[in-house]
Amino acid sequence: MDVFKLILIFFVIITFVFLMMTKRLSTIIALPSMGIIVALIGAAGEYPLLGLFDFETGKVDENGEAIVQGGIFNSVILNGVTMLAGAISAIVFAAAFAKILMKTGVIDTIIKRAAELAGDKPRVLAIVFYIACTIVFTAIGGIGSVVLIGTIVLPILLTAGIKPIHAAVIFLFGLSTGGILNPMNYATFIALLSPIYDGDSSRALQEIIQLSVPVFIIVFIISCIYILMNVPSNQTVRRAWPSELADKSNGKQVSIWAMLATIIPVVLILGGTFLDYPIPVEVALVIAIIYTLIVTKLKNPFQATTQAFVEGTKDIAGVIVLLIGLGILIQGFQYPPVLDIISQFVTKGVQFLQNPFSYVIGFTLLTVLTLYRGPLNTFGIGGSLPALFAASGFSPLAIIWVLRAAGNLQGFGDPTNSHNIWVADHVKVDVNDITKKVIPWGILMSFLILLYAVLFEGSTLGF
């Protein structure tokens, strides 16, 4: 029976992945549906009424009270809806901070200063704008922000004579590199890791921060190598972009102190972690918001803050629903009868992957499975992997390293990303051409990140 259920579960996974890849079903619908269906398969024949309702197991605890097994309605759906509430709250604060940065002109000023600094050499221009985008996207995110920055940066790169495919990749590399340190993304990984540490979010945050720094450095270096290899250095171009900047600008100019606002959340979180005084993501973002309002002397700051939270929440409404669905998916795979079935299969995989060599090579080759909402996508089935592997004796932190390593390719190479689609359309290239171009670079990043994990964090990961 377990073998039949295991086959059925894999059939469900493959079916939903295919539906998401072919865009016949949205991820927002697919994730919770998959979690509920998998839970029903596991409960069938094991629990009464397909496990939908809570029921007494017939056993008693140490206090002599009846042990109640939670049903799918409570354990999967209700707990799933609230599971990533912490991540959702952090994302709301991050979205509001992003809105304030845009309203005050901080983002526009950074891009303008980058253009002035870059001069008229394409390679220098590409590196400077890559760094500028990286800094900007440590603080903001979402398709609205991508469009805002992209409509300024991409025409400048194209005017400098950089090929459209390379301009697109450079911009997406900046977006993805900045995202590694973006507090909005910390929150999701903290939510995935903290249950392994009995709900200790401070410890989870510390682990994520210490992991993110080397990942950021490796991705940054590889991205710069891409620029050096693909953008000419001996070509001088006419600086034709001031008019573009003027057209897109809101006319606001801010001081250097205001521009530092973008990195304040990252500095606070990193500093607090390495000084053993972890600062919650939400607190770091609130401090950054207050700092930005003060140094930019924004009129009606209370009204502007309220408006930023309202508009920011509207921008991330889809992400919030996606995280709710992801929570239901994770709870579905963690439902006891499902966990019992899958753990038998995962245990065999764990035995193979507990070898450092097979861990690095195996997951490097599987990096492409992060595309199309595949099994290594954090916002897909990958979100359930830490708990599944932990149940089989494999370090959940080792899986977080895998998700962070493979997630870079997803961030800049997944053709189903809304930002990939927009960027491809804006520079007039096929979105799949971008994916083909970056796959080797994404795999290289994964290999180096996982190799670092084994060489320098091996004892922590159980190797």
Side-chain angles (χ1 to χ4, degrees):
M1 177 62 77
D2 282 354
V3 174
F4 173 74
K5 286 185 176 181
L6 181 63
I7 294 172
L8 198 56
I9 288 172
F10 275 105
F11 175 76
V12 170
I13 293 173
I14 292 171
T15 300
F16 275 97
V17 169
F18 173 77
L19 291 174
M20 287 187 284
M21 287 177 59
T22 56
K23 299 183 180 180
R24 297 181 183 181
L25 187 65
S26 70
T27 306
I28 288 175
I29 301 298
L31 296 186
S33 300
M34 203 185 324
I36 294 170
I37 293 173
V38 166
L40 288 170
I41 292 172
E46 296 288 334
Y47 292 170
L49 298 175
L50 293 176
L52 291 172
F53 303 94
D54 298 352
F55 66 94
E56 294 185 1
T57 62
K59 301 177 182 179
V60 295
D61 59 19
E62 57 186 14
N63 297 320
E65 297 181 357
I67 297 177
V68 177
Q69 171 61 53
I72 292 174
F73 286 150
N74 282 326
S75 294
V76 176
I77 299 177
L78 183 59
N79 290 349
V81 168
T82 59
M83 179 182 179
L84 300 180
I88 291 172
S89 67
I91 290 172
V92 169
F93 279 90
F97 178 49
K99 281 292 180 182
I100 287 176
L101 289 176
M102 290 186 280
K103 285 178 179 293
T104 54
V106 171
I107 302 300
D108 274 351
T109 303
I110 290 175
I111 300 300
K112 289 178 182 178
R113 293 290 177 86
E116 294 169 359
L117 177 65
D120 53 8
K121 299 291 185 181
R123 181 177 289 177
V124 175
L125 185 81
I127 291 176
V128 169
F129 269 100
Y130 165 69
I131 295 173
C133 288
T134 296
I135 294 172
V136 166
F137 286 115
T138 60
I140 66 176
I143 185 61
S145 301
V146 171
V147 173
L148 172 71
I149 305 303
T151 52
I152 300 174
V153 171
L154 289 172
I156 295 176
L157 295 177
L158 295 174
T159 302
I162 298 173
K163 293 180 179 179
I165 186 72
H166 297 319
V169 171
I170 292 166
F171 179 75
L172 290 170
F173 275 176
L175 169 63
S176 184
T177 308
I180 295 171
L181 297 181
N182 192 312
M184 186 183 298
N185 294 327
Y186 288 160
T188 303
F189 285 99
I190 291 169
L192 294 179
L193 193 58
S194 58
I196 310 299
Y197 297 137
D198 297 322
D200 188 348
S201 58
S202 294
R203 182 181 175 186
L205 173 61
Q206 187 172 11
E207 295 287 358
I208 295 301
I209 292 296
Q210 292 176 346
L211 176 158
S212 297
V213 173
V215 171
F216 175 86
I217 294 172
I218 291 171
V219 172
F220 182 87
I221 292 173
I222 298 301
S223 298
C224 288
I225 291 173
Y226 175 90
I227 294 173
L228 294 175
M229 291 180 62
N230 291 282
V231 179
S233 62
N234 57 356
Q235 177 182 351
T236 302
V237 296
R238 182 174 59 88
R239 296 185 60 175
W241 47 84
S243 61
E244 180 68 29
L245 287 170
D247 290 341
K248 300 296 181 182
S249 173
N250 57 16
K252 298 179 181 178
Q253 289 290 309
V254 299
S255 66
I256 184 66
W257 298 108
M259 287 190 285
L260 291 176
T262 56
I263 62 172
I264 282 181
V266 175
V267 171
L268 289 175
I269 294 170
L270 286 174
T273 298
F274 287 108
L275 294 175
D276 289 328
Y277 290 100
I279 298 176
V281 172
E282 293 88 343
V283 174
L285 288 166
V286 169
I287 293 173
I289 289 172
I290 294 173
Y291 172 86
T292 306
L293 293 174
I294 292 174
V295 297
T296 59
K297 300 178 182 179
L298 188 65
K299 295 181 180 179
N300 300 317
F302 296 110
Q303 181 180 350
T305 303
T306 301
Q307 189 176 9
F309 271 94
V310 172
E311 293 178 358
T313 304
K314 288 180 181 178
D315 288 346
I316 61 167
V319 177
I320 292 174
V321 178
L322 179 64
L323 289 175
I324 291 173
L326 178 60
I328 295 174
L329 173 72
I330 294 172
Q331 290 294 333
F333 277 91
Q334 291 180 1
Y335 198 49
V338 177
L339 202 56
D340 290 341
I341 295 169
I342 295 181
S343 61
Q344 300 174 27
F345 172 79
V346 173
T347 299
K348 295 180 180 180
V350 165
Q351 293 173 354
F352 172 74
L353 294 169
Q354 280 182 326
N355 177 285
F357 177 81
S358 59
Y359 170 79
V360 174
I361 300 302
F363 281 116
T364 296
L365 296 176
L366 294 175
T367 296
V368 292
L369 294 182
T370 192
L371 302 174
Y372 297 101
R373 304 293 175 181
L376 291 185
N377 190 308
T378 304
F379 296 97
I381 300 170
S384 64
L385 292 183
L388 290 176
F389 275 75
S392 300
F394 194 78
S395 169
L397 191 57
I399 296 301
I400 295 293
W401 273 94
V402 171
L403 295 178
R404 284 298 253 174
N408 295 296
L409 177 58
Q410 189 277 328
F412 54 68
D414 194 332
T416 66
N417 289 335
S418 56
H419 54 258
N420 280 61
I421 295 171
W422 181 86
V423 169
D425 179 70
H426 195 75
V427 299
K428 307 305 179 186
V429 299
D430 190 293
V431 68
N432 293 297
D433 289 340
I434 295 177
T435 301
K436 294 173 185 176
K437 175 66 70 174
V438 300
I439 281 179
W441 296 89
I443 293 175
L444 176 61
M445 290 175 185
S446 286
F447 172 74
L448 295 176
I449 290 168
L450 296 177
L451 183 63
Y452 174 92
V454 167
L455 293 178
F456 299 98
E457 303 291 340
S459 58
T460 305
L461 305 182
F463 295 122

